[in-house]
């Protein structure tokens, strides 16, 4: 091949960039796009994020996944935001990712944008549906339920969106005190704690919630202290089997812990 004045081959490959440097630079670029897209889309997400798969039916039909149909431009931006969150969630969880890459998500503002997106995608907890006492309890040997109910679109925009935003926040907080402090100081600590629930639109949300809380509190005494001082107010979700068996959950006013109570027929005493 022809050579230049320095004697190097004109067709020589460009100098390689270390993997961690390239990953950090790419992460910062993606975070900049995330910061640009998220603020305009948060109001839409707050209005339309689906409630958990245990949501009540309305007028005999399942609640719609989308409350108001977005226009073409909004739809395109929503899918871009969805993909960005997904890619960053995977990138920050790779085995070879360094602390510098996770810190780049924080310093670039990506962590703040991801936490705001997660907050917008988190609906208030819905009470469990009433269960008739005379309905027989399902057999433990029954066939496994489907991955998602018929009214959940597994190809839709919101399927797995909340889970990936949680995954991104939890990954960045891993062994990262500054990220842990940012979540607390920005008021998103309670948002992370509210992710340990079952949601048909977000498979494994509960597991990623436990992972996020673990990373948020590891080695951070202030976060641990705030969580310890929280008090249980009410039980918002119980397994349907409890209703079939006549068992109700309540918060003991003396201990502040959840207890199960067997509802009995009139004339019989209640048993804890």
């Amino acid at each position: 091949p022809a050579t230049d004045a320095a004697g190097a081959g004109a067709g020589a490959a460009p100098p390689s960039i270390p993997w961690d440097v390239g990953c950090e630079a790419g992460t910062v670029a993606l975070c900049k796009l995330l910061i640009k897209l998220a603020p305009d889309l948060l109001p839409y997400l707050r209005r339309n994020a689906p409630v958990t798969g245990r949501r009540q039916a309305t007028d005999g039909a399942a609640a719609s996944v989308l409350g108001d149909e977005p226009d073409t431009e909004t739809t395109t931006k929503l899918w871009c935001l969805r993909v960005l969150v997904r890619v960053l969630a995977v990138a920050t969880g790779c085995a070879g990712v360094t602390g510098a890459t996770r810190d780049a998500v924080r310093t670039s503002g990506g962590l703040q944008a991801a936490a705001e997106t997660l907050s917008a995608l988190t609906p208030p907890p819905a009470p469990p549906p009433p269960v008739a006492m005379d309905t027989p309890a399902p057999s433990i040997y029954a066939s496994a339920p489907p991955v998602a109910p018929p009214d959940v679109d597994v190809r839709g925009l919101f399927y797995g969106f909340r889970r990936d935003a949680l995954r991104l926040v939890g990954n960045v907080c891993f062994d990262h005190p500054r990220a842990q402090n940012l979540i607390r100081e920005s008021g998103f600590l309670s948002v992370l704690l509210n992710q340990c629930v079952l949601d048909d639109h977000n498979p494994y949300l509960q597991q990623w919630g436990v992972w996020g809380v673990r990373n948020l509190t590891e080695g951070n005494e202030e976060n641990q202290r705030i969580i310890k001082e929280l008090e249980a107010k009410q039980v918002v979700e119980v397994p349907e089997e409890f209703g079939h068996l006549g068992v109700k959950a309540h918060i003991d006013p003396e201990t502040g812990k959840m207890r199960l109570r067997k509802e009995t027929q009139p004339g019989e005493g209640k048993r804890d």
Side-chain angles (χ1 to χ4, degrees):
T3 58
D4 56 15
S16 60
I17 300 176
W19 184 87
D20 56 343
V21 175
C23 184
E24 182 178 346
T27 299
V28 171
L30 292 176
C31 286
K32 290 181 178 179
L33 292 175
L34 178 65
I35 297 167
K36 185 176 181 180
L37 284 173
D40 294 337
L41 299 175
L42 293 181
Y44 180 87
L45 295 178
R46 293 190 182 98
R47 293 194 310 269
N48 296 282
V51 186
T52 62
R54 289 170 172 74
R55 61 190 183 281
Q56 296 282 352
T58 304
D59 296 331
S64 174
V65 173
L66 292 178
D68 53 285
E69 195 68 24
D71 54 33
T72 303
E73 181 181 358
T74 302
T75 300
T76 302
K77 290 182 178 179
L78 284 168
W79 276 109
C80 289
L81 178 65
R82 174 74 180 86
V83 172
L84 282 172
V85 170
R86 173 68 173 174
V87 171
L88 285 169
V90 174
T92 55
C94 292
V97 72
T98 62
T101 299
R102 293 195 299 272
D103 192 54
V105 179
R106 178 190 65 85
T107 56
S108 65
L111 178 59
Q112 179 81 18
E116 292 174 351
T117 302
L118 176 61
S119 178
L121 290 167
T122 304
V131 180
M133 298 297 295
D134 56 351
T135 303
S139 171
I140 61 174
Y141 300 104
S143 59
V147 175
D151 61 320
V152 175
D153 183 7
V154 297
R155 297 168 299 176
L157 167 69
F158 285 101
Y159 191 77
F161 197 170
R162 178 182 173 189
R163 176 203 59 205
D164 288 339
L166 169 62
R167 181 180 177 183
L168 171 56
V169 174
N171 286 344
V172 176
C173 289
F174 175 74
D175 196 23
H176 198 329
R178 292 182 178 179
Q180 297 169 350
N181 294 338
L182 175 62
I183 294 298
R184 182 189 69 250
E185 294 166 357
S186 300
F188 293 114
L189 185 59
S190 60
V191 175
L192 265 291
L193 296 177
N194 286 333
Q195 306 306 316
C196 300
V197 296
L198 298 176
D199 188 340
D200 293 322
H201 293 278
N202 295 275
Y204 304 106
L205 178 72
Q206 190 176 50
Q207 287 80 358
W208 283 111
V210 173
W211 167 253
V213 173
R214 181 262 186 198
N215 292 345
L216 197 64
T217 55
E218 183 184 27
N220 194 308
E221 296 183 359
E222 183 64 15
N223 287 354
Q224 295 176 15
R225 181 189 64 80
I226 292 176
I227 294 177
K228 287 180 181 179
E229 294 177 353
L230 295 176
E231 296 181 1
K233 299 297 184 181
Q234 62 178 338
V235 179
V236 296
E237 183 176 350
V238 295
E240 295 181 4
E241 290 78 4
F242 284 10
H244 292 299
L245 299 174
V247 177
K248 290 188 175 181
H250 71 285
I251 302 298
D252 191 319
E254 296 182 359
T255 64
K257 298 181 179 180
M258 187 187 75
R259 300 190 66 179
L260 300 180
R261 173 178 293 169
K262 175 70 174 179
E263 296 296 320
T264 58
Q265 298 296 328
E268 298 181 0
K270 295 181 179 180
R271 296 176 293 175
D272 287 345

